[in-house]
Amino acid sequence: KAGVTQTPRYLIKTRGQQVTLSCSPISGHRSVSWYQQTPGQGLQFLFEYFSETQRNKGNFPGRFSGRQFSNSRSEMNVSTLELGDSALYLCASSTGGWSEAFFGQGTRLTVV
Amino acid sequence: ILNVEQSPQSLHVQEGDSTNFTCSFPSSNFYALHWYRWETAKSPEALFVMTLNGDEKKKGRISATLNTKEGYSYLYIKGSQPEDSATYLCALWGNRDDKIIFGKGTRLHILP
């Protein structure tokens, strides 16, 4: 069974630009959540989508947004990039609720 | 707001020795506590999902316990092996604001 796929794996953007990251969940999983990992901060929860609806949201500015499609694939968008947005962005899929999450390998975003 | 603390931050253990580390949290207002293992250059991998006070889970040489009344979970590794070298994360699924809170992890190094 295919795992969670994130694209692209690496990305370099300039301050002020916007970026879209993609996450394809495990087949049959309807929940997709997104996390930001920066050195010293650990994994920070961004948001969770379930059946195309945002169910939960972490404490991030409105520049961070996401959506989920009918096939459960999800995208995360960051507008007006700042240097501090440089991080590893992970997505995870699950069957929902608090069931175990399966993580993708992440997208490493560098903002210059 | 849930605050998840993990200790120690880093741990060096001789191969063959057993070890344990802690995840602590101030209240029992959560749906579930998860433990993940995150090896370098890989994705976080779920170890256990725990929901009830007194829960004990085991997978091979690794086991975990949960005490919701006193606000902690222990992860035990018996007879450490080189492949156990990783960062171990715990995460809480909150039931008040439905946020997912990760601890900063315990970085385990197994010494040959």
Side-chain angles (χ1 to χ4, degrees):
Chain A
K1 164 160 141 171
V4 178
T5 304
Q6 289 188 247
T7 56
R9 291 291 309 280
Y10 302 93
L11 206 48
I12 299 176
K13 288 286 189 179
T14 305
R15 268 183 305 175
Q17 287 187 310
Q18 66 95 26
V19 67
T20 299
L21 311 182
S22 178
C23 175
S24 294
I26 289 172
S27 177
H29 285 188
R30 294 164 66 188
S31 170
V32 174
S33 51
W34 288 89
Y35 302 86
Q36 181 195 66
Q37 203 242 358
T38 53
Q41 288 298 316
L43 280 174
Q44 304 282 309
F45 171 66
L46 281 154
F47 28 68
E48 184 208 0
Y49 285 86
F50 185 89
S51 293
E52 301 179 68
T53 300
Q54 186 181 88
R55 213 156 56 162
N56 301 309
K57 190 176 190 309
N59 298 321
F60 278 81
R63 299 185 298 106
F64 291 81
S65 63
R67 58 178 176 168
Q68 187 179 33
F69 302 94
S70 58
N71 62 358
S72 293
R73 189 177 71 85
S74 177
E75 287 181 348
M76 189 191 91
N77 185 275
V78 187
S79 62
T80 319
L81 283 165
E82 300 176 0
L83 294 179
D85 297 332
S86 294
L88 177 67
Y89 291 88
L90 288 167
C91 83
S93 75
S94 74
T95 53
W98 53 88
S99 55
E100 67 177 295
F102 293 82
F103 283 84
Q105 290 202 291
T107 294
R108 171 75 62 185
L109 172 66
T110 303
V111 182
V112 297
Chain B
I1 296 176
L2 288 173
N3 187 31
V4 177
E5 299 284 342
Q6 289 190 249
S7 62
Q9 266 190 321
S10 181
L11 191 55
H12 290 76
V13 173
Q14 204 66 44
E15 183 178 347
D17 286 352
S18 297
T19 187
N20 65 84
F21 25 92
T22 308
C23 174
S24 59
F25 41 90
S27 76
S28 61
N29 293 320
F30 61 92
Y31 289 123
L33 181 146
H34 292 203
W35 280 101
Y36 291 88
R37 174 171 58 202
W38 194 357
E39 297 177 67
T40 303
K42 294 187 177 180
S43 313
E45 173 195 359
L47 289 171
F48 305 112
V49 176
M50 312 179 80
T51 57
L52 300 174
N53 184 46
D55 250 358
E56 290 188 29
K57 302 266 179 154
K58 188 173 181 195
K59 186 185 287 190
R61 296 180 292 100
I62 304 178
S63 59
T65 60
L66 177 64
N67 185 323
T68 60
K69 291 182 180 177
E70 295 185 33
Y72 65 82
S73 175
Y74 288 146
L75 189 81
Y76 301 89
I77 301 179
K78 186 177 176 182
S80 303
Q81 298 298 308
E83 59 265 29
D84 297 329
S85 293
T87 296
Y88 291 82
L89 300 169
C90 75
L92 259 63
W93 263 241
N95 65 4
R96 278 200 177 159
D97 52 13
D98 292 326
K99 286 190 174 40
I100 303 165
I101 310 292
F102 273 81
K104 292 185 179 180
T106 292
R107 183 75 179 96
L108 176 65
H109 306 263
I110 305 301
L111 306 171

